[in-house]
């Protein structure tokens, strides 16, 4: 039976090679120690007891790097609305932390990666990462520049003490790209469409081995500056207090108590157009009580938030201020009829600060002048079923309904002035987007399945349906109704060859767009002006984005790898006007030491 499954698996991966595309970027960390390949399907965070079980000696054998946001803010002509996914092969059996790799491909792609770490005395580990990726862009599709490049330089320190683990990391990210998605005008080939984003982050994390009283402390800081002099400073502190494993008599019920205390401040200033500026100071308390018996539990909690917000721009007569307190429900239950069938449900909510850095991660083509407001999820009810069949099939299916205030999404900008000239700023060609907000309801259905038929084969799939009902807008813009993904990983030849497959699918999206024409008028100095008409029900087509990856270990210190991205060669659009790269093939070598 296993022999038949192996043959079918090889056929499946072979047929898949006729079709695939990388999502965020080819950040190949092939031989670093990683999390187990089995994804944790129970994604809901509760105050259920966490058994840390890592004394210093054991932890030092399997160090875990703590990164808060380790995702580039700009797409490399790939699906920028989807979270980045490393589809490169991963060898866990012979993990090594020190390596160098280099690769080249079509579209002028150049990839460089390096990682080095060293364990010093007193179980102190220091190290660094360097990552570079560049592409010439779509020269045959656009007359103007559409190339992109990213670079990341990071350093980290891990220390393992008697009572806890300490991590400190610093990272500098540079993203250099163009506002190349012009569809309504025809500028000259030498038009300047440059945008550049610099981000510097420093994060600290201390995690106690036990769950007694002080559980962990996290500190995040970030500074962002772009080509148009936008600046953003962000600092947050989170401390988690807990008292776990309190037995309630002889009932077999165990109680866990948790309290999260958080502070966050964000200051953002823009220098073009309306010159928006904003300042947020947010404090929150999240107490929780969890009663657990076996695999079943009941969690009851709340979230208390106090927000001090200030907004200002060149159009406002005076600064807008808002001081407001919020309360959000938090509760969840799980009824475990068996390991294969666990029924769960709950309600949650919260306040999310929409920062310029977060917006750039979702859409790198936004205007460098945004009116920032927090999004309030008043409540979100959900219920589902999950389980594990003999560690061979893991699944999770759920449905939910929520009410949201100031739901954020992206709307296309038109021309900012009607002058009859193509000598414009990079963002003034109807090629940028701005955040807009509306109140509404959301209904969602999602499912996730992992299947492990063999020790060297894993298959997974996810699907998500989201339907929005807005107060002022007929449709939500640039959000697909349906997204899905499928993946596979297969090792063979005594783990010397590792094959990977990833497919991302999305339905079409509604967007607004502009048609622009030149008209003659005596009132204009040149006798001509541009006139635009807006289509508020335009469509951006769906896509199937398929990827293949392979690595062959020739020697314990030498490997060759290859990536095939978007092998269907569909130059679909992520946002109106912004095509992704077609079929891409990249190959390279890796040296570990």
């Amino acid at each position: 039976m296993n022999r038949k499954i192996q043959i079918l698996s090889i056929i499946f991966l072979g047929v898949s090679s006729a079709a695939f595309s990388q999502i965020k970027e080819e950040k190949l960390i092939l031989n670093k120690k990683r999390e187990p390949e089995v994804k944790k399907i129970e994604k809901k965070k509760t105050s259920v007891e966490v058994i840390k079980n890592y004394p210093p000696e054991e932890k030092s054998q399997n160090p875990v790097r703590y990164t808060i946001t380790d995702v580039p803010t700009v797409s490399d002509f790939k699906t920028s609305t989807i979270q980045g996914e490393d589809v490169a092969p991963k060898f866990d059996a012979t993990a090594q932390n020190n390596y160098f790799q280099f690769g080249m491909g079509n579209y002028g792609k150049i990839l460089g990666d390096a990682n080095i770490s060293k364990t010093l005395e007193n179980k102190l580990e220091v190290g660094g990462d360097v990552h570079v990726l560049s592409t010439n862009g779509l020269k045959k599709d656009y007359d103007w520049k559409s190339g992109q490049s990213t670079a990341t330089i990071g350093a980290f320190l891990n220390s393992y003490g008697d009572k806890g683990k300490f991590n400190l990391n610093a990272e500098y990210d540079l993203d250099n790209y163009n506002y190349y998605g012009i569809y309504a005008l025809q500028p000259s080939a030498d038009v300047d469409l440059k945008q550049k984003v610099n981000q510097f982050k420093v994060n600290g994390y201390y995690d106690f081995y036990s769950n007694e009283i002080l559980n962990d402390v996290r500190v995040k800081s970030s500074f962002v500056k772009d080509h148009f002099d936008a600046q953003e400073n962000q600092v947050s502190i989170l401390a988690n207090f807990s008292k776990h494993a309190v037995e309630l008599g002889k009932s077999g019920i165990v109680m866990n108590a948790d309290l999260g205390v958080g502070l966050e401040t964000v200051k953002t200033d823009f220098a073009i157009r309306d010159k928006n500026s904003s300042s947020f100071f947010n404090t929150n308390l999240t107490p929780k009580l969890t009663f657990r018996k076996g695999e079943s539990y009941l969690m009851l909690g709340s979230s208390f938030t106090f927000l001090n917000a200030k907004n200002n721009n060149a159009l406002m007569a005076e600064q807008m201020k808002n001081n407001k307190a919020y309360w959000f429900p938090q509760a969840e239950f799980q009824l475990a009829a068996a390991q294969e069938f666990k029924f769960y449900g709950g309600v949650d909510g919260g306040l999310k600060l929409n920062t310029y850095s977060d917006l750039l991660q979702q859409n790198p083509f936004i205007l460098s002048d945004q009116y920032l407001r927090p999004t309030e999820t008043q409540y979100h009810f959900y219920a589902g079923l999950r389980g594990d069949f003999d560690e061979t099939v893991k699944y999770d299916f759920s449905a939910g309904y929520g009410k949201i205030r100031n739901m954020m999404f992206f709307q296309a900008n038109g021309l900012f002035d009607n002058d009859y000239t193509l000598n414009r700023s990079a963002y003034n060609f109807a090629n940028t987007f701005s955040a807009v907000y509306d109140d509404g309801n959301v209904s969602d259905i999602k499912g996730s399945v992992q299947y492990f038929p063999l020790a060297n084969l894993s298959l997974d799939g996810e699907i998500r349906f989201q339907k929005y009902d807005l107060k002022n807008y007929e449709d939500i813009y640039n959000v697909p109704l349906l997204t899905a993904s499928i993946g596979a990983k297969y090792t063979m030849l005594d783990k010397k060859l590792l094959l990977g497959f990833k497919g991302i699918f999305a339905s079409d999206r509604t967007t607004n767009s502009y048609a622009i024409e030149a008209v003659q008028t005596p009132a204009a100095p040149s006798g001509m002006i541009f006139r635009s008409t807006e289509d508020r029900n335009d469509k951006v087509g769906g896509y199937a984005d398929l990827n293949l990856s392979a690595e062959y270990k020739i020697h314990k210190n030498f490997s060759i790898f290859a990536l095939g991205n978007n092998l269907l060669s569909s130059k679909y659009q992520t946002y109106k006007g912004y095509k992704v790269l077609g079929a891409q093939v990249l190959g390279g070598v890796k040296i570990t030491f």
Side-chain angles (χ1 to χ4, degrees):
M1 180 63 183
N2 287 348
R3 180 66 176 172
K4 292 182 179 180
I5 296 176
Q6 285 180 318
I7 296 173
L8 290 174
S9 302
I10 296 172
I11 295 174
F12 167 74
L13 292 171
V15 172
S16 301
S17 64
F20 265 126
S21 156
Q22 177 86 353
I23 306 312
K24 202 78 174 176
E25 66 176 78
E26 295 83 346
K27 190 165 185 177
L28 308 179
I29 308 178
L30 305 184
N31 282 346
K32 292 187 66 178
K33 288 184 171 68
R34 292 177 175 258
E35 294 292 329
E37 293 295 330
V38 180
K39 294 193 303 181
K40 292 182 179 178
I41 234 170
E42 294 82 9
K43 296 180 180 178
K44 285 291 175 184
K45 293 182 179 179
T46 72
S47 58
V48 176
E49 178 183 4
V50 178
I51 301 175
K52 295 190 175 181
N53 189 27
Y54 41 70
E57 183 63 32
E58 182 178 339
K59 268 306 223 185
S60 65
Q61 300 303 317
N62 187 23
V64 178
R65 274 188 58 198
Y66 167 72
T67 55
I68 292 176
T69 304
D70 192 16
V71 179
T73 57
V74 176
S75 159
D76 298 308
F77 294 101
K78 296 174 283 281
T79 50
S80 57
T81 57
I82 298 176
Q83 289 298 314
E85 178 114 14
D86 182 2
V87 299
K90 307 172 182 65
F91 278 103
D92 296 326
T94 57
Q96 292 176 289
N97 284 340
N98 301 314
Y99 69 88
F100 169 78
Q101 59 191 6
F102 178 79
M104 297 183 67
N106 58 336
Y107 291 102
K109 271 194 172 182
I110 297 176
L111 169 71
D113 268 315
N115 173 272
I116 186 170
S117 64
K118 176 70 175 179
T119 302
L120 307 177
E121 296 181 359
N122 300 322
K123 299 179 183 179
L124 184 67
E125 182 189 18
V126 295
D129 281 292
V130 177
H131 173 68
V132 177
L133 178 67
S134 66
T135 173
N136 293 334
L138 294 161
K139 289 186 174 182
K140 295 182 179 180
D141 292 71
Y142 299 99
D143 294 331
W144 44 87
K145 290 183 179 179
S146 57
Q148 293 180 289
S149 62
T150 64
T152 300
I153 302 174
F156 65 91
L157 179 150
N158 292 321
S159 177
Y160 304 92
D162 295 332
K163 295 184 178 180
K165 171 172 66 77
F166 173 73
N167 169 262
L168 177 68
N169 67 65
E171 184 177 288
Y172 170 70
D173 298 314
L174 171 63
D175 297 288
N176 199 341
Y177 60 104
N178 294 276
Y179 287 131
Y180 65 94
I182 301 174
Y183 61 89
L185 293 171
Q186 189 65 33
S188 59
D190 61 352
V191 60
D192 180 14
L193 301 174
K194 183 179 180 180
Q195 168 64 304
K196 180 171 64 174
V197 179
N198 298 272
Q199 184 172 21
F200 182 70
K201 296 177 286 188
V202 178
N203 304 318
Y205 176 47
Y206 193 93
D207 187 7
F208 289 88
Y209 296 141
S210 69
N211 284 338
E212 294 294 327
I213 312 302
L214 184 57
N215 195 332
D216 59 66
V217 178
R218 305 165 187 250
V219 178
K220 299 191 300 182
S221 64
S222 171
F223 173 75
V224 176
K225 185 173 182 179
D226 73 4
H227 180 61
F228 302 99
D229 293 327
Q231 297 188 42
E232 182 172 82
N233 296 281
Q234 182 177 9
V235 177
S236 65
I237 302 173
L238 175 63
N240 291 307
F241 300 87
S242 63
K243 179 64 175 178
H244 286 184
V246 178
E247 296 184 3
L248 301 181
K250 298 181 179 180
S251 62
I253 298 176
V254 175
M255 184 186 73
N256 300 328
D258 294 272
L259 175 64
V261 180
L263 301 173
E264 183 176 15
T265 179
V266 183
K267 181 71 170 68
T268 311
D269 294 292
F270 297 100
I272 62 173
R273 300 300 304 165
D274 299 335
K275 299 182 179 180
N276 278 286
S277 66
S278 60
S279 177
F280 300 104
F281 180 73
N282 187 38
T283 62
N284 62 79
L285 294 174
T286 55
K288 296 179 183 178
L289 284 176
T290 302
F291 303 91
R292 180 177 181 178
K293 186 173 183 180
E295 293 293 323
S296 300
Y297 64 82
L298 171 66
M299 183 275 287
L300 300 173
S302 293
S303 177
F304 301 93
T305 299
F306 179 78
L307 175 68
N308 176 271
K310 299 177 182 178
N311 288 87
N312 193 22
N313 62 38
L315 303 179
M316 293 181 182
E318 59 183 24
Q319 187 180 63
M320 291 182 59
K321 299 180 179 181
N322 181 28
N323 296 318
K324 188 175 180 180
Y326 300 85
W327 173 81
F328 302 102
Q330 289 193 358
E332 183 173 288
F333 75 91
Q334 176 173 286
L335 179 60
Q339 189 69 23
E340 295 83 1
F341 300 102
K342 300 176 183 178
F343 302 91
Y344 68 93
V347 59
D348 57 21
L351 191 71
K352 180 183 183 301
L353 302 185
N354 292 305
T355 67
Y356 185 45
S357 176
D358 291 340
L359 266 58
L360 281 170
Q361 290 187 28
Q362 298 176 58
N363 183 351
F365 312 115
I366 59 175
L367 176 68
S368 183
D369 182 33
Q370 299 289 320
Y371 182 66
L372 300 176
R373 302 173 65 180
T375 295
E376 176 191 356
T377 301
Q378 293 181 283
Y379 59 80
H380 177 250
F381 292 98
Y382 57 91
L385 177 67
R386 57 195 172 203
D388 184 347
F389 288 89
D390 196 28
E391 297 185 353
T392 301
V393 176
K394 298 173 70 71
Y395 70 94
D396 187 348
F397 295 96
S398 65
Y401 177 83
K403 185 175 183 180
I404 304 176
R405 287 180 179 174
N406 293 325
M407 185 187 306
M408 190 279 296
F409 53 97
F410 297 105
Q411 177 177 271
N413 297 320
L415 295 180
F416 292 111
D417 61 68
N418 294 324
D419 296 341
Y420 185 68
T421 177
L422 293 178
N423 184 22
R424 295 172 172 270
S425 301
Y427 52 81
N428 197 5
F429 290 91
N431 60 339
T432 61
F433 300 82
S434 288
V436 291
Y437 307 88
D438 198 3
D439 300 341
N441 303 321
V442 58
S443 303
D444 61 273
I445 300 173
K446 57 184 178 180
S448 176
V449 177
Q450 288 93 47
Y451 178 44
F452 311 97
L454 300 170
N456 59 341
L457 174 65
S458 65
L459 307 172
D460 65 83
E462 294 184 1
I463 188 168
R464 183 163 189 168
F465 169 88
Q466 289 180 299
K467 174 65 176 176
Y468 295 89
D469 181 17
L470 303 180
K471 181 178 179 181
N472 299 306
Y473 287 79
E474 186 175 346
D475 297 290
I476 192 168
Y477 291 150
N478 296 297
V479 176
L481 181 68
L482 183 69
T483 57
S485 69
I486 57 174
K489 297 181 183 122
Y490 188 73
T491 59
M492 54 192 305
L493 302 179
D494 195 25
K495 293 189 176 181
K496 289 184 178 181
L497 177 63
L498 179 57
L499 304 176
F501 165 88
K502 192 69 177 182
I504 305 294
F505 309 91
S507 62
D508 61 4
R509 287 151 288 170
T510 301
T511 187
N512 66 316
S513 62
Y514 294 87
I516 299 172
E517 61 177 346
V519 296
Q520 199 163 19
T521 173
S526 62
M528 300 283 288
I529 64 169
F530 283 116
R531 181 174 64 190
S532 65
T533 56
E534 183 181 10
D535 181 357
R536 300 186 66 84
N537 193 32
D538 197 2
K539 300 295 181 182
V540 175
Y543 56 82
D545 187 342
L546 306 177
N547 308 262
L548 280 177
S549 61
E551 184 191 0
Y552 182 69
K553 186 176 285 293
I554 298 175
H555 182 268
K556 67 177 182 178
N557 298 111
F558 184 77
S559 304
I560 57 175
F561 64 86
L563 296 175
N565 305 136
N566 195 15
L567 295 181
L568 289 177
S569 196
S570 173
K571 296 179 182 178
Y572 56 88
Q573 299 180 59
T574 56
Y575 291 91
K576 180 70 174 181
Y578 288 93
K579 295 180 181 180
V580 303
L581 294 177
Q584 307 146 55
V585 177
L586 181 143
V589 298
K590 176 180 178 182
I591 300 173
T592 59
F593 52 92

